[in-house]
Structures are given as C-alpha cells and as structure tokens.
C-alpha cells in the first residue's frame, strides 16, 4: 500500500505562484511514476505532470510546460509541483497519484492507469 497526502493549495491571484507537496508513505520504493493530476468543475480529470522514480525523467501537459516544475526529495519521499505564472484556467482540485507499473512515456497522463491517489488539494486562481 502507498499513502499519498497533498498540501499547499490555496487562493492565488493570476500571475502568482504556489508550491504543492505530496508526501508518500508505505511502500515508497514500489511505484514507477508519481505525479499530479487535476480536475476542474465540470471537466474530466487530466494529467499535469509526473516524474519517473527510476531515472527522474519528467513529463508535462502542454498547458503547463514552462510554468510548472515537478521535483522530488527521495529522502523525504515527497514530490513537489512548483506552479508559476498561474492562470484562472489552472483552477482545479489537484491530486497526487502513483502507478505501480510503467506504461511508457506516451501514457503517463492516463488517469485509469494510476493505482494510488491522494485526497486532493484545491487551487483557486482568481483576482
């Protein structure tokens, strides 16, 4: 079992920044990828970014490239999402998720392939 706990969400003005954290506990050496998904009201959950445990490769949705950065602290078993230049369309509940298998770099964003989920943290971008 793997437990994921997110923190760091909140209200921020457009153009502002937030850093989300995802603390993992349990079998933290067993997942192949860990990352962030988000779900806005009335929309489907979508992949934002993930990082491969084995080699640290990172992946990003086109909508956040150049603005968001994913990183990890292996000692703390924590994954971070630094979000800069936030836009109102970034408003969503952000979830941390992990997969016990690696399905290839073209499938990192598929919601149905994730095995573990956190409870989510709300990010609201508004003036």
């Amino acid at each position: 079992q793997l437990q994921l706990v997110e923190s760091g969400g909140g209200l921020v003005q457009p153009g502002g920044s937030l850093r989300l954290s995802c603390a993992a506990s349990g079998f933290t050496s067993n997942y192949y990828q860990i990352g962030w998904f988000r779900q806005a009201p009335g929309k489907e959950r979508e992949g934002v970014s993930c990082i491969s445990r084995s080699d640290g490769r990172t992946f990003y949705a086109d909508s956040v490239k150049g603005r968001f950065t994913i990183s990890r602290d292996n000692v703390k078993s924590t994954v971070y999402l630094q979000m800069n230049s936030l836009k109102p369309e970034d408003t969503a509940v952000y979830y941390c998720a992990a997969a016990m298998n690696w399905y290839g770099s073209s499938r990192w964003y598929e919601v149905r392939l994730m095995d573990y989920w956190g409870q989510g943290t709300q990010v609201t971008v508004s003036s």
Side-chain angles (χ1 to χ4, degrees), residues 6 23 28 35 58 61 67 69 72-73 76 87 90 100 118 125:
E6 304 98 334
T28 57
T58 57
R67 300 188 298 122
T69 302
R72 62 182 179 180
D73 183 329
K76 296 182 179 179
K87 304 175 181 180
D90 294 318
M100 296 294 113
V125 184

Side-chain angles (χ1 to χ4, degrees), residues 21-90:
S21 300
C22 171
S25 61
F27 293 119
T28 57
S29 62
N30 288 2
Y31 66 85
Y32 277 77
Q33 69 171 75
I34 189 166
W36 296 91
F37 290 72
R38 67 185 181 186
Q39 188 166 18
K43 294 187 177 181
E44 294 186 353
R45 195 169 296 188
E46 63 177 1
V48 176
S49 179
C50 87
I51 189 166
S52 166
R53 185 178 64 82
S54 61
D55 58 12
R57 281 186 298 167
T58 57
F59 302 88
Y60 297 93
D62 288 343
S63 58
V64 305
K65 281 181 181 177
R67 300 188 298 122
F68 291 10
T69 302
I70 191 170
S71 62
R72 62 182 179 180
D73 183 329
N74 289 334
V75 174
K76 296 182 179 179
S77 296
T78 299
V79 175
Y80 304 97
L81 186 68
Q82 178 66 44
M83 305 186 296
N84 299 328
S85 302
L86 282 161
K87 304 175 181 180
E89 50 264 43
D90 294 318

